[in-house]
Amino acid sequence: MAVLIDPPRWPNHGTLWSHVVSDASLEELQAFADAAGLPARAFDLDHYDAPAERYDALVAAGAEPVSGHELVRRLIASGLRVKARDRN
């Protein structure tokens, strides 16, 4: 059970973004996000979006750095993945 973060590589709003997920539960993800100060508006059904400037602090807070591929693989395996077609 871990909170994972991928490298900031998704451009939007003038910065690059990482995804923060749990491979165990949304409760674990929410607790980590609250403790790390991620705003509720950053939550997107199965992950939090985090700007590049927060990456090092999130890793220091306990998020495990993984590749984007590994993050998605583990999110799918957890059963928490929300498919694009199921997003509004």
Coordinates of all heavy atoms in Angstrom, one line a residue:
M1 N 0.8 -1.2 0.0 CA 0.0 0.0 0.0 C 0.9 1.2 0.0 O 1.7 1.4 0.9 CB -0.9 0.0 1.2 CG -1.9 -1.1 1.2 SD -3.0 -1.1 2.6 CE -2.1 -2.1 3.8
A2 N 0.7 2.1 -1.0 CA 1.5 3.2 -1.2 C 0.8 4.4 -1.9 O -0.1 4.1 -2.6 CB 2.8 2.8 -1.9
V3 N 1.3 5.5 -1.6 CA 0.9 6.7 -2.4 C 2.0 6.9 -3.4 O 3.2 6.9 -3.1 CB 0.7 8.0 -1.5 CG1 0.4 9.2 -2.4 CG2 -0.5 7.7 -0.5
L4 N 1.6 7.1 -4.7 CA 2.5 7.1 -5.8 C 2.4 8.5 -6.5 O 1.4 9.1 -6.5 CB 2.2 6.0 -6.8 CG 1.9 4.6 -6.3 CD1 1.4 3.7 -7.4 CD2 3.2 4.1 -5.7
I5 N 3.5 8.9 -7.1 CA 3.5 10.2 -7.8 C 4.4 9.9 -9.1 O 5.4 9.3 -9.0 CB 4.1 11.4 -7.0 CG1 3.9 12.7 -7.7 CG2 5.5 11.1 -6.6 CD1 4.1 13.9 -6.9
D6 N 3.9 10.4 -10.2 CA 4.6 10.3 -11.5 C 5.4 11.6 -11.7 O 5.0 12.7 -11.1 CB 3.8 9.9 -12.6 CG 2.7 10.8 -13.0 OD1 2.5 11.9 -12.4 OD2 1.9 10.5 -14.0
P7 N 6.3 11.7 -12.6 CA 7.1 12.9 -12.9 C 6.2 14.0 -13.5 O 5.2 13.7 -14.2 CB 8.1 12.5 -13.9 CG 8.2 11.0 -13.8 CD 6.9 10.5 -13.4
P8 N 6.4 15.2 -13.1 CA 5.6 16.3 -13.7 C 5.9 16.4 -15.2 O 7.0 16.9 -15.6 CB 6.0 17.5 -12.9 CG 7.4 17.2 -12.3 CD 7.4 15.7 -12.2
R9 N 5.0 16.0 -16.0 CA 5.2 16.1 -17.5 C 3.9 16.5 -18.2 O 3.9 16.5 -19.5 CB 5.8 14.8 -18.0 CG 5.0 13.6 -17.6 CD 5.7 12.3 -18.1 NE 5.6 12.2 -19.5 CZ 5.5 11.1 -20.2 NH1 5.5 9.9 -19.5 NH2 5.4 11.0 -21.5
W10 N 2.8 16.7 -17.5 CA 1.5 17.0 -18.2 C 1.3 18.5 -18.2 O 1.1 19.1 -17.1 CB 0.4 16.3 -17.5 CG 0.7 14.8 -17.3 CD1 1.2 14.2 -16.2 CD2 0.7 13.9 -18.4 NE1 1.4 12.9 -16.5 CE2 1.1 12.6 -17.8 CE3 0.3 13.9 -19.7 CZ2 1.2 11.5 -18.5 CZ3 0.3 12.7 -20.4 CH2 0.8 11.5 -19.9
P11 N 1.4 19.2 -19.3 CA 1.3 20.7 -19.3 C -0.1 21.2 -19.2 O -1.0 20.6 -19.8 CB 1.9 21.1 -20.7 CG 1.7 19.9 -21.6 CD 1.7 18.7 -20.6
N12 N -0.3 22.2 -18.4 CA -1.6 22.9 -18.3 C -1.4 24.2 -17.4 O -0.6 24.1 -16.4 CB -2.6 22.0 -17.7 CG -4.0 22.5 -18.1 OD1 -4.2 23.5 -18.8 ND2 -5.0 21.8 -17.6
H13 N -2.1 25.2 -17.7 CA -2.0 26.4 -16.8 C -0.6 26.9 -16.6 O -0.3 27.4 -15.5 CB -2.7 26.2 -15.5 CG -4.1 25.8 -15.6 ND1 -5.1 26.6 -16.1 CD2 -4.7 24.5 -15.3 CE1 -6.3 25.9 -16.1 NE2 -6.0 24.7 -15.6
G14 N 0.3 26.8 -17.6 CA 1.6 27.4 -17.5 C 2.6 26.6 -16.7 O 3.7 27.2 -16.4
T15 N 2.3 25.4 -16.3 CA 3.2 24.6 -15.6 C 3.1 23.1 -16.0 O 2.2 22.8 -16.8 CB 3.0 24.7 -14.1 OG1 4.1 24.1 -13.4 CG2 1.7 24.1 -13.6
L16 N 3.9 22.3 -15.4 CA 3.7 20.8 -15.7 C 3.1 20.2 -14.4 O 3.3 20.7 -13.3 CB 5.1 20.2 -15.9 CG 5.8 20.7 -17.2 CD1 7.2 20.1 -17.3 CD2 5.0 20.3 -18.4
W17 N 2.4 19.1 -14.6 CA 1.7 18.5 -13.5 C 2.0 17.0 -13.3 O 2.3 16.3 -14.3 CB 0.2 18.6 -13.8 CG -0.3 20.0 -13.8 CD1 -0.2 20.9 -14.9 CD2 -0.9 20.8 -12.8 NE1 -0.6 22.1 -14.5 CE2 -1.1 22.1 -13.2 CE3 -1.2 20.5 -11.5 CZ2 -1.7 23.1 -12.5 CZ3 -1.8 21.4 -10.7 CH2 -2.0 22.7 -11.2
S18 N 2.0 16.6 -12.1 CA 2.1 15.2 -11.7 C 0.7 14.6 -11.3 O -0.2 15.4 -11.0 CB 3.0 15.0 -10.5 OG 4.3 15.4 -10.8
H19 N 0.6 13.3 -11.3 CA -0.6 12.7 -10.7 C -0.2 12.0 -9.4 O 0.9 11.4 -9.3 CB -1.1 11.6 -11.7 CG -1.5 12.2 -13.0 ND1 -0.7 12.0 -14.1 CD2 -2.5 13.0 -13.4 CE1 -1.3 12.6 -15.2 NE2 -2.4 13.2 -14.7
V20 N -1.0 12.1 -8.4 CA -0.8 11.5 -7.1 C -1.9 10.5 -6.9 O -3.1 10.9 -7.0 CB -0.8 12.5 -6.0 CG1 -0.5 11.8 -4.7 CG2 0.3 13.6 -6.3
V21 N -1.6 9.2 -6.7 CA -2.6 8.2 -6.5 C -2.3 7.3 -5.3 O -1.1 7.3 -4.9 CB -2.8 7.3 -7.8 CG1 -3.0 8.1 -9.0 CG2 -1.6 6.4 -8.0
S22 N -3.2 6.5 -4.9 CA -3.0 5.4 -4.0 C -3.2 4.1 -4.7 O -4.1 4.0 -5.5 CB -4.0 5.5 -2.8 OG -3.9 4.3 -2.0
D23 N -2.4 3.1 -4.3 CA -2.6 1.8 -4.9 C -3.4 0.9 -3.9 O -3.5 -0.3 -4.1 CB -1.3 1.1 -5.3 CG -0.4 0.8 -4.1 OD1 -0.7 1.1 -3.0 OD2 0.7 0.2 -4.4
A24 N -4.0 1.5 -2.9 CA -4.8 0.8 -1.9 C -6.2 1.3 -1.7 O -7.1 0.5 -1.8 CB -4.0 0.8 -0.6
S25 N -6.4 2.6 -1.5 CA -7.7 3.1 -1.2 C -7.8 4.6 -1.4 O -6.8 5.3 -1.3 CB -8.1 2.8 0.2 OG -7.4 3.6 1.1
L26 N -9.0 5.1 -1.7 CA -9.2 6.5 -1.8 C -9.0 7.2 -0.5 O -8.6 8.4 -0.4 CB -10.5 6.9 -2.4 CG -10.7 6.5 -3.9 CD1 -12.1 6.8 -4.4 CD2 -9.7 7.2 -4.8
E27 N -9.3 6.5 0.6 CA -9.1 7.0 2.0 C -7.6 7.3 2.2 O -7.3 8.3 2.8 CB -9.7 6.0 3.0 CG -11.2 5.9 3.0 CD -11.7 5.0 1.9 OE1 -10.9 4.2 1.3 OE2 -12.9 5.1 1.6
E28 N -6.8 6.4 1.8 CA -5.3 6.6 2.0 C -4.9 7.8 1.2 O -4.1 8.7 1.7 CB -4.5 5.4 1.5 CG -3.0 5.6 1.6 CD -2.2 4.4 1.0 OE1 -2.6 3.9 -0.1 OE2 -1.2 4.0 1.7
L29 N -5.4 7.9 -0.1 CA -5.0 9.1 -0.9 C -5.5 10.4 -0.3 O -4.8 11.3 -0.2 CB -5.7 8.9 -2.3 CG -5.5 10.0 -3.3 CD1 -4.0 10.3 -3.6 CD2 -6.2 9.7 -4.6
Q30 N -6.8 10.4 0.2 CA -7.3 11.6 0.8 C -6.5 12.0 2.0 O -6.2 13.2 2.2 CB -8.8 11.4 1.2 CG -9.5 12.6 1.7 CD -9.5 13.7 0.7 OE1 -10.0 13.5 -0.4 NE2 -9.1 14.9 1.0
A31 N -6.2 11.0 2.9 CA -5.4 11.4 4.1 C -4.0 11.9 3.7 O -3.6 12.9 4.3 CB -5.2 10.1 4.9
F32 N -3.4 11.4 2.7 CA -2.1 11.9 2.3 C -2.3 13.3 1.8 O -1.5 14.2 2.1 CB -1.5 11.0 1.2 CG -0.2 11.6 0.7 CD1 1.0 11.3 1.4 CD2 -0.1 12.3 -0.4 CE1 2.2 11.8 0.9 CE2 1.1 12.9 -0.9 CZ 2.3 12.6 -0.2
A33 N -3.3 13.5 0.9 CA -3.5 14.8 0.3 C -3.8 15.9 1.4 O -3.3 17.0 1.3 CB -4.7 14.8 -0.7
D34 N -4.6 15.5 2.3 CA -4.9 16.5 3.4 C -3.6 16.8 4.2 O -3.4 18.0 4.4 CB -5.9 15.9 4.4 CG -7.3 15.8 3.8 OD1 -7.6 16.4 2.8 OD2 -8.2 15.1 4.4
A35 N -2.9 15.8 4.6 CA -1.6 16.1 5.3 C -0.6 16.9 4.5 O 0.1 17.7 5.1 CB -1.0 14.8 5.8
A36 N -0.6 16.7 3.2 CA 0.4 17.4 2.3 C -0.2 18.8 1.8 O 0.6 19.5 1.2 CB 0.7 16.5 1.1
G37 N -1.4 19.1 2.2 CA -1.9 20.4 1.8 C -2.4 20.5 0.4 O -2.5 21.6 -0.2
L38 N -2.7 19.4 -0.3 CA -3.3 19.4 -1.6 C -4.7 19.9 -1.5 O -5.5 19.3 -0.8 CB -3.2 18.1 -2.3 CG -1.8 17.6 -2.7 CD1 -1.8 16.2 -3.2 CD2 -1.1 18.5 -3.7
P39 N -5.1 20.8 -2.3 CA -6.5 21.3 -2.2 C -7.5 20.3 -2.8 O -7.2 19.6 -3.7 CB -6.5 22.6 -3.1 CG -5.4 22.4 -4.0 CD -4.3 21.6 -3.3
A40 N -8.7 20.4 -2.3 CA -9.8 19.5 -2.7 C -10.0 19.6 -4.2 O -10.4 18.7 -4.9 CB -11.1 19.7 -1.9
R41 N -9.9 20.8 -4.7 CA -10.1 21.1 -6.2 C -9.2 20.3 -7.1 O -9.4 20.2 -8.3 CB -10.1 22.6 -6.5 CG -8.8 23.2 -6.4 CD -8.8 24.7 -6.7 NE -7.5 25.3 -6.6 CZ -7.0 25.8 -5.5 NH1 -7.6 25.7 -4.4 NH2 -5.8 26.3 -5.5
A42 N -8.0 19.8 -6.5 CA -7.0 19.1 -7.3 C -7.4 17.6 -7.5 O -6.8 16.9 -8.2 CB -5.7 19.2 -6.6
F43 N -8.5 17.2 -6.8 CA -8.9 15.8 -6.9 C -9.7 15.5 -8.1 O -10.6 16.3 -8.5 CB -9.8 15.4 -5.7 CG -10.2 13.9 -5.7 CD1 -9.2 12.9 -5.5 CD2 -11.5 13.6 -5.8 CE1 -9.6 11.6 -5.5 CE2 -11.9 12.3 -5.8 CZ -10.9 11.3 -5.6
D44 N -9.4 14.5 -8.9 CA -10.1 14.1 -10.1 C -10.5 12.6 -10.1 O -9.9 11.8 -10.9 CB -9.2 14.5 -11.3 CG -9.9 14.3 -12.7 OD1 -11.2 14.2 -12.7 OD2 -9.2 14.3 -13.7
L45 N -11.4 12.3 -9.3 CA -12.1 11.0 -9.2 C -11.2 9.8 -8.7 O -11.6 9.0 -7.9 CB -12.7 10.6 -10.5 CG -13.8 11.5 -11.0 CD1 -14.3 11.1 -12.4 CD2 -14.9 11.7 -10.0
D46 N -9.9 9.7 -9.2 CA -9.0 8.6 -8.8 C -7.6 9.1 -8.5 O -6.7 8.3 -8.2 CB -9.0 7.5 -9.8 CG -8.6 7.9 -11.2 OD1 -8.2 9.1 -11.4 OD2 -8.6 7.0 -12.1
H47 N -7.4 10.4 -8.6 CA -6.1 11.0 -8.4 C -6.1 12.5 -8.1 O -7.2 13.1 -8.3 CB -5.2 10.8 -9.7 CG -5.6 11.7 -10.8 ND1 -6.6 11.3 -11.7 CD2 -5.2 12.9 -11.3 CE1 -6.8 12.3 -12.6 NE2 -5.9 13.3 -12.3
Y48 N -5.0 13.0 -7.6 CA -4.8 14.4 -7.4 C -3.9 14.9 -8.5 O -2.9 14.2 -8.8 CB -4.3 14.7 -6.0 CG -5.3 14.8 -5.0 CD1 -5.7 13.6 -4.3 CD2 -5.9 16.0 -4.5 CE1 -6.7 13.6 -3.3 CE2 -6.8 16.0 -3.5 CZ -7.2 14.8 -2.9 OH -8.2 14.9 -1.9
D49 N -4.1 16.1 -9.0 CA -3.1 16.7 -9.9 C -2.3 17.6 -9.0 O -2.8 18.3 -8.1 CB -3.9 17.6 -10.9 CG -4.6 16.7 -11.9 OD1 -4.1 15.7 -12.4 OD2 -5.8 17.1 -12.2
A50 N -1.0 17.6 -9.2 CA 0.0 18.4 -8.4 C 0.9 19.1 -9.3 O 1.5 18.5 -10.2 CB 0.7 17.5 -7.4
P51 N 1.1 20.4 -9.1 CA 2.0 21.1 -10.0 C 3.5 20.8 -9.7 O 3.8 20.3 -8.6 CB 1.8 22.6 -9.6 CG 1.2 22.5 -8.2 CD 0.5 21.2 -8.1
A52 N 4.3 20.9 -10.7 CA 5.7 20.6 -10.6 C 6.4 21.1 -9.4 O 7.3 20.4 -8.8 CB 6.4 21.0 -11.9
E53 N 6.1 22.3 -9.0 CA 6.8 22.9 -7.9 C 6.5 22.2 -6.5 O 7.1 22.5 -5.6 CB 6.5 24.4 -7.8 CG 5.0 24.8 -7.6 CD 4.3 25.1 -8.9 OE1 4.8 24.7 -10.0 OE2 3.2 25.6 -8.8
R54 N 5.5 21.4 -6.5 CA 5.1 20.6 -5.3 C 5.8 19.2 -5.3 O 5.7 18.5 -4.3 CB 3.6 20.4 -5.1 CG 2.8 21.7 -4.9 CD 3.1 22.4 -3.6 NE 3.0 21.5 -2.4 CZ 1.9 21.1 -1.8 NH1 0.7 21.6 -2.2 NH2 2.0 20.3 -0.7
Y55 N 6.3 18.8 -6.4 CA 6.8 17.4 -6.6 C 7.8 17.0 -5.5 O 7.6 16.0 -4.8 CB 7.5 17.2 -8.0 CG 8.0 15.8 -8.2 CD1 7.1 14.8 -8.7 CD2 9.3 15.5 -8.0 CE1 7.6 13.5 -8.9 CE2 9.8 14.2 -8.2 CZ 8.9 13.2 -8.7 OH 9.3 11.9 -8.9
D56 N 8.9 17.7 -5.3 CA 9.9 17.4 -4.3 C 9.3 17.3 -2.9 O 9.6 16.4 -2.1 CB 11.0 18.3 -4.3 CG 11.9 18.2 -5.5 OD1 11.8 17.1 -6.2 OD2 12.6 19.1 -5.9
A57 N 8.4 18.2 -2.5 CA 7.8 18.2 -1.2 C 6.9 17.0 -1.0 O 6.8 16.4 0.1 CB 7.0 19.5 -1.0
L58 N 6.2 16.6 -2.1 CA 5.3 15.4 -2.0 C 6.1 14.2 -1.8 O 5.7 13.3 -1.1 CB 4.3 15.4 -3.2 CG 3.3 16.5 -3.2 CD1 2.6 16.6 -4.6 CD2 2.3 16.4 -2.1
V59 N 7.2 14.1 -2.5 CA 8.1 12.9 -2.3 C 8.6 12.9 -0.9 O 8.7 11.9 -0.2 CB 9.2 12.9 -3.4 CG1 10.3 11.9 -3.1 CG2 8.6 12.7 -4.8
A60 N 9.1 14.1 -0.4 CA 9.6 14.2 1.0 C 8.5 13.8 2.0 O 8.8 13.3 3.0 CB 10.1 15.6 1.2
A61 N 7.2 14.0 1.6 CA 6.1 13.7 2.5 C 5.7 12.2 2.5 O 4.9 11.8 3.2 CB 4.9 14.6 2.2
G62 N 6.4 11.5 1.5 CA 6.1 10.0 1.5 C 5.6 9.5 0.2 O 5.4 8.3 0.1
A63 N 5.3 10.3 -0.8 CA 4.8 9.8 -2.1 C 6.0 9.0 -2.8 O 7.1 9.6 -2.8 CB 4.3 10.9 -3.0
E64 N 5.7 7.9 -3.3 CA 6.8 7.1 -4.0 C 6.9 7.5 -5.4 O 5.9 7.4 -6.2 CB 6.4 5.6 -3.9 CG 7.3 4.7 -4.6 CD 6.8 3.2 -4.5 OE1 6.1 2.9 -3.6 OE2 7.3 2.5 -5.4
P65 N 8.0 8.0 -5.9 CA 8.2 8.4 -7.3 C 8.2 7.1 -8.2 O 9.0 6.2 -7.9 CB 9.5 9.1 -7.3 CG 10.1 9.1 -6.0 CD 9.2 8.3 -5.1
V66 N 7.3 7.1 -9.2 CA 7.3 6.0 -10.2 C 7.1 6.6 -11.5 O 6.7 7.8 -11.7 CB 6.2 5.0 -9.8 CG1 6.4 4.3 -8.5 CG2 4.8 5.7 -9.9
S67 N 7.3 5.8 -12.6 CA 7.0 6.3 -13.9 C 5.5 6.4 -14.1 O 4.7 5.9 -13.4 CB 7.6 5.3 -14.9 OG 6.9 4.1 -14.9
G68 N 5.1 7.2 -15.1 CA 3.7 7.3 -15.5 C 3.1 5.9 -15.8 O 2.0 5.6 -15.4
H69 N 3.9 5.1 -16.5 CA 3.4 3.8 -16.8 C 3.2 2.9 -15.6 O 2.1 2.3 -15.4 CB 4.4 3.1 -17.7 CG 4.0 1.7 -18.1 ND1 3.1 1.4 -19.0 CD2 4.5 0.5 -17.6 CE1 2.9 0.0 -19.1 NE2 3.8 -0.5 -18.2
E70 N 4.1 3.0 -14.6 CA 4.0 2.2 -13.4 C 2.8 2.7 -12.6 O 2.0 2.0 -12.0 CB 5.3 2.3 -12.6 CG 5.2 1.6 -11.2 CD 5.2 0.1 -11.4 OE1 5.3 -0.5 -12.5 OE2 5.0 -0.6 -10.3
L71 N 2.6 4.0 -12.5 CA 1.5 4.6 -11.8 C 0.2 4.1 -12.3 O -0.7 3.7 -11.6 CB 1.6 6.2 -11.8 CG 0.5 6.9 -11.1 CD1 1.1 8.1 -10.4 CD2 -0.6 7.4 -12.0
V72 N 0.0 4.1 -13.6 CA -1.3 3.7 -14.2 C -1.4 2.2 -14.0 O -2.5 1.7 -13.7 CB -1.3 4.0 -15.7 CG1 -2.5 3.4 -16.4 CG2 -1.4 5.5 -15.9
R73 N -0.4 1.4 -14.2 CA -0.5 0.0 -14.0 C -0.9 -0.4 -12.6 O -1.8 -1.2 -12.4 CB 0.9 -0.7 -14.2 CG 0.9 -2.2 -14.2 CD 2.3 -2.8 -14.2 NE 3.0 -2.6 -13.0 CZ 2.8 -3.2 -11.8 NH1 1.8 -4.1 -11.7 NH2 3.6 -3.0 -10.8
R74 N -0.4 0.3 -11.6 CA -0.7 0.0 -10.2 C -2.1 0.6 -9.8 O -2.8 0.0 -9.0 CB 0.4 0.5 -9.2 CG 1.6 -0.4 -9.4 CD 2.8 0.1 -8.6 NE 2.7 0.1 -7.2 CZ 3.6 0.5 -6.4 NH1 4.8 0.9 -6.9 NH2 3.5 0.5 -5.1
L75 N -2.5 1.7 -10.4 CA -3.8 2.2 -10.2 C -4.9 1.3 -10.8 O -5.9 1.0 -10.1 CB -4.0 3.6 -10.8 CG -5.3 4.3 -10.6 CD1 -5.6 4.5 -9.1 CD2 -5.3 5.6 -11.4
I76 N -4.7 0.7 -12.0 CA -5.6 -0.2 -12.6 C -5.7 -1.5 -11.7 O -6.7 -2.0 -11.4 CB -5.2 -0.6 -14.0 CG1 -5.4 0.6 -14.9 CG2 -5.9 -1.8 -14.5 CD1 -4.8 0.5 -16.3
A77 N -4.5 -2.0 -11.3 CA -4.5 -3.2 -10.4 C -5.2 -3.0 -9.1 O -5.8 -4.0 -8.6 CB -3.0 -3.6 -10.2
S78 N -5.2 -1.8 -8.6 CA -5.9 -1.5 -7.3 C -7.4 -1.6 -7.5 O -8.1 -1.6 -6.5 CB -5.5 -0.1 -6.8 OG -6.1 0.9 -7.5
G79 N -7.9 -1.4 -8.7 CA -9.4 -1.4 -8.9 C -9.9 0.0 -8.7 O -11.1 0.2 -8.8
L80 N -9.1 1.0 -8.5 CA -9.5 2.4 -8.3 C -9.6 3.3 -9.5 O -10.1 4.4 -9.5 CB -8.6 3.1 -7.2 CG -8.6 2.4 -5.9 CD1 -7.5 3.1 -5.0 CD2 -9.9 2.5 -5.2
R81 N -9.0 2.8 -10.6 CA -8.9 3.6 -11.9 C -10.3 3.9 -12.4 O -11.2 3.0 -12.5 CB -8.2 2.8 -12.9 CG -8.1 3.4 -14.3 CD -7.2 4.6 -14.2 NE -7.0 5.1 -15.6 CZ -6.8 6.4 -15.9 NH1 -6.9 7.3 -14.9 NH2 -6.7 6.8 -17.1
V82 N -10.5 5.2 -12.7 CA -11.8 5.6 -13.4 C -11.4 5.8 -14.8 O -10.6 6.7 -15.1 CB -12.3 6.9 -12.7 CG1 -13.5 7.4 -13.5 CG2 -12.6 6.7 -11.3
K83 N -12.0 5.1 -15.7 CA -11.7 5.2 -17.1 C -12.2 6.5 -17.7 O -13.2 7.1 -17.2 CB -12.4 4.0 -17.9 CG -11.8 2.7 -17.5 CD -12.5 1.6 -18.2 CE -12.0 0.2 -17.8 NZ -12.7 -0.9 -18.4
A84 N -11.6 7.0 -18.7 CA -11.9 8.3 -19.4 C -13.3 8.3 -19.8 O -14.0 9.3 -19.6 CB -11.0 8.5 -20.6
R85 N -13.9 7.2 -20.3 CA -15.3 7.2 -20.8 C -16.3 7.4 -19.6 O -17.4 7.7 -19.8 CB -15.6 6.0 -21.6 CG -15.6 4.7 -20.7 CD -16.1 3.5 -21.6 NE -16.2 2.3 -20.7 CZ -15.4 1.3 -20.8 NH1 -14.4 1.3 -21.7 NH2 -15.5 0.3 -20.0
D86 N -15.8 7.1 -18.4 CA -16.7 7.2 -17.2 C -16.6 8.6 -16.5 O -17.3 8.8 -15.5 CB -16.3 6.1 -16.2 CG -16.6 4.7 -16.8 OD1 -17.6 4.6 -17.6 OD2 -15.9 3.8 -16.4
R87 N -15.7 9.4 -17.0 CA -15.6 10.8 -16.4 C -16.6 11.7 -17.1 O -16.9 11.6 -18.3 CB -14.1 11.3 -16.7 CG -13.1 10.5 -16.0 CD -11.7 11.0 -16.3 NE -10.7 10.1 -15.7 CZ -10.3 10.2 -14.4 NH1 -10.7 11.2 -13.7 NH2 -9.4 9.4 -13.9
N88 N -17.1 12.6 -16.4 CA -18.1 13.6 -16.9 C -17.4 14.7 -17.6 O -16.5 15.3 -17.3 CB -19.0 14.0 -15.9 CG -19.9 12.9 -15.4 OD1 -20.1 11.9 -16.1 ND2 -20.5 13.0 -14.2

